[in-house]
Amino acid sequence: MITKRIIPCLDVKDGRVVKGVNFAGLSDVSSPVDLAKYYSDCGADELVFYDITASAEGRALFTDILTEAASQIFIPLTVGGGIRTVEDFDRVLKCGADKVSVNSGAIADPDLIGAAAKKYGDQCVVLSCDIKRVDGAFHVFAKGGREDTGMEAIAWIKRGVSMGAGEVVVNSIDTDGVKGGFDLPMLQAVCDAVDVPVVASGGAGSAQDFVTLFETIPAVSAGLAASIFHFGEVEIVRLKQLLRENNINVRL
């Protein structure tokens, strides 16, 4: 049985980890380097590092902070933010990333997915999708959730996977930071559409929310969260013990 992954997410703005609600109202949390080391030491399976304003500001990702963070951890690291070219993939991987997450850059140039997959392998390319309901339909948003592309999300995800994305992160803007639980209908729709690992993001408010996620949608590969880990509301070791008690396979 494949183990489920627990993944803390570091949203980085101006060199600091921040957290908001529904992708807005950002508040300062901590140093990304300190948090990365903490999570690596306390049982996280992977770590995600997003430079959340790089795309909106049209600049490259902070490589100095990334390099320092990567040097402190011993778990796989996925990095995203401002990834627009294959050269950006190369730069981030050389800083210590294991996988590269694309969102706005892939929306602007879908061929980026295939080009990066061909050069670095499907397993290296993560398609991150910020999704929000608009008039009852799932829409893809770009530039850190600021811009409605008008694209239907499930069709976009299927296209991205067909072009070589080896993993999909589903960020529900509707549930982000609200702590009411993961967006199960959205996640089910994505899992039904593709056969690559799907990572659930947005909405976790308790350890029980992870149990509900994996029990309700066994096809989900991993649960990703930020504030509940950053503020000590849920400890990863205890979360994994709870999952084990509920017969959900995790790495302890």
Side-chain angles (χ1 to χ4, degrees):
M1 185 186 297
I2 297 174
T3 57
K4 303 301 185 184
R5 294 172 288 150
I6 302 300
I7 307 175
C9 176
L10 308 184
D11 291 327
V12 180
K13 181 178 186 289
D14 300 329
R16 298 285 293 178
V17 176
V18 296
K19 188 60 193 147
V21 177
N22 301 129
F23 283 35
L26 300 175
S27 58
D28 185 86
V29 176
S30 183
S31 152
V33 177
D34 292 345
L35 265 187
K37 186 176 189 308
Y38 167 76
Y39 287 130
S40 180
D41 291 344
C42 74
D45 296 297
E46 296 187 16
L47 195 63
V48 170
F49 181 114
Y50 286 139
D51 186 342
I52 61 172
T53 56
S55 291
E57 295 171 3
R59 60 166 171 77
L61 181 144
F62 295 119
T63 52
D64 52 346
I65 295 170
L66 170 58
T67 301
E68 189 176 357
S71 71
Q72 298 292 318
I73 68 174
F74 301 95
I75 53 177
L77 175 64
T78 298
V79 177
I83 307 297
R84 292 180 287 273
T85 65
V86 172
E87 288 71 30
D88 288 330
F89 268 78
D90 189 64
R91 178 169 51 83
V92 169
L93 291 169
K94 285 178 178 174
C95 289
D98 299 283
K99 295 184 280 189
V100 182
S101 175
V102 290
N103 187 338
S104 297
I107 292 167
D109 178 16
D111 290 338
L112 173 60
I113 298 171
K118 184 176 181 180
K119 185 168 184 179
Y120 300 109
D122 292 11
Q123 79 289 340
C124 181
V125 182
V126 178
L127 180 62
S128 179
C129 298
D130 297 335
I131 306 173
K132 185 176 182 179
R133 290 167 179 80
V134 178
D135 297 328
F138 295 134
H139 279 208
V140 177
F141 278 65
K143 298 181 179 177
R146 296 169 180 81
E147 180 181 294
D148 184 358
T149 66
M151 290 195 301
E152 198 281 320
I154 305 303
W156 166 242
I157 289 170
K158 289 174 72 172
R159 181 183 177 192
V161 169
S162 72
M163 296 179 75
E167 183 171 272
V168 176
V169 177
V170 179
N171 308 303
S172 173
I173 297 175
D174 294 323
T175 61
D176 175 71
V178 177
K179 299 185 180 180
F182 289 99
D183 196 326
L184 301 178
M186 183 184 291
L187 291 161
Q188 186 66 66
V190 174
C191 288
D192 288 344
V194 296
D195 58 3
V196 298
V198 172
V199 179
S201 172
S206 68
Q208 183 60 42
D209 287 336
F210 287 85
V211 176
T212 301
L213 169 69
F214 294 128
E215 285 186 341
T216 306
I217 313 177
V220 166
S221 176
L224 180 150
S227 57
I228 61 167
F229 296 143
H230 298 342
F231 299 122
E233 297 165 41
V234 172
E235 293 182 13
I236 291 175
V237 171
R238 292 187 179 181
L239 167 59
K240 288 188 167 186
Q241 289 171 344
L242 177 65
L243 291 169
R244 271 284 179 91
E245 290 167 7
N246 283 272
N247 299 311
I248 296 165
N249 196 25
V250 292
R251 180 184 64 87
L252 292 177

